[in-house]
């Protein structure tokens, strides 16, 4: 089974329980495809953290949080030590903040009407997933992308 087939299968398994979206980028952050109905506006916020992670030689998945409180799993596909693609799975809330609190936080930012509507929709559609399950999904995403197990700490 090719990596893309594994990724599609993994995403379908996740979606059987939680409605998460998947964004696939090449190594230069060019969007190749997505299952979402809106643009991932958070990717620009994550690029510095992702570049720092990769510059340190790390290819393990990340779980990053936006200023508003939405979380994303970021996985990295590599072949022979070379980064091939980057994959974002989300958005998710973990339960530490309710949707109402996240919306209140959203109101503190000066955003265009369009961006406010997108983020508000993300908040309303984001499933609440416990941290332990979210970490497990990150580990499984890494395996689907690289056929490699990683320890969970």
């Amino acid at each position: 089974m090719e990596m893309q087939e594994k990724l599609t299968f993994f995403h379908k398994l996740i979606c059987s329980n939680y409605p998460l979206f998947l964004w696939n980028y090449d190594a230069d952050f060019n969007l190749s495809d997505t299952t979402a109905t809106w643009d991932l506006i958070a990717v620009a916020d994550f690029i510095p953290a992702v570049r720092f992670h990769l510059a340190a030689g790390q290819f393990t998945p990340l779980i990053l949080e936006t200023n508003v409180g939405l979380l994303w799993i970021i996985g990295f596909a590599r072949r022979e030590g070379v980064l091939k693609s980057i994959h974002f799975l989300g958005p998710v809330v973990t339960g530490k903040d309710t949707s109402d609190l996240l919306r209140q936080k959203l109101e503190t930012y000066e955003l265009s009407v369009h961006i406010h509507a997108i983020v508000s929709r993300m908040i309303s559609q984001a499933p609440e997933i416990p941290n332990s399950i979210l970490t497990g999904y990150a580990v499984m995403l890494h395996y689907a992308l690289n056929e490699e197990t990683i320890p969970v700490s």
Side-chain angles (χ1 to χ4, degrees):
M1 192 183 292
E2 295 295 318
M3 186 208 46
Q4 189 59 45
E5 292 173 303
K6 290 178 188 173
L7 188 59
T8 299
F9 181 72
F10 167 75
H11 183 246
K12 286 179 180 180
L13 282 174
I14 298 296
C15 286
S16 70
N17 199 25
Y18 295 106
L20 296 180
F21 297 100
L22 183 65
W23 287 263
N24 301 308
Y25 292 85
D26 66 16
D28 295 320
F29 292 98
N30 297 307
L31 182 65
S32 57
D33 66 284
T34 182
T35 61
T37 56
W38 65 82
D39 294 334
L40 173 60
I41 58 172
V43 72
D45 294 337
F46 293 148
I47 289 175
V50 169
R51 289 196 192 282
F52 181 80
H53 187 68
L54 294 171
Q58 299 293 317
F59 291 97
T60 54
L62 294 169
I63 298 175
L64 297 178
E65 184 174 3
T66 64
N67 291 337
V68 179
L70 295 170
L71 285 94
W72 303 84
I73 299 171
I74 304 167
F76 308 97
R78 61 186 162 96
R79 296 294 173 264
E80 299 175 10
V82 177
L83 179 67
K84 294 296 181 185
S85 55
I86 304 167
H87 307 270
F88 288 71
L89 185 65
V92 172
V93 295
T94 61
K96 70 175 185 171
D97 290 330
T98 65
S99 294
D100 289 337
L101 287 173
L102 294 178
R103 279 192 196 84
Q104 288 174 3
K105 198 182 290 187
L106 175 62
E107 297 305 323
T108 65
Y109 295 99
E110 292 184 25
L111 301 172
S112 72
V113 173
H114 176 70
I115 292 176
H116 185 281
I118 290 172
V119 175
S120 184
R121 185 169 24 149
M122 285 181 178
I123 290 170
S124 66
Q125 293 179 353
E128 186 176 313
I129 301 176
N131 280 326
S132 58
I133 292 175
L134 192 63
T135 301
Y137 286 171
V139 170
M140 289 185 275
L141 176 60
H142 183 80
Y143 187 84
L145 295 172
N146 300 292
E147 293 186 18
E148 176 180 272
T149 59
I150 54 175
V152 178
S153 54

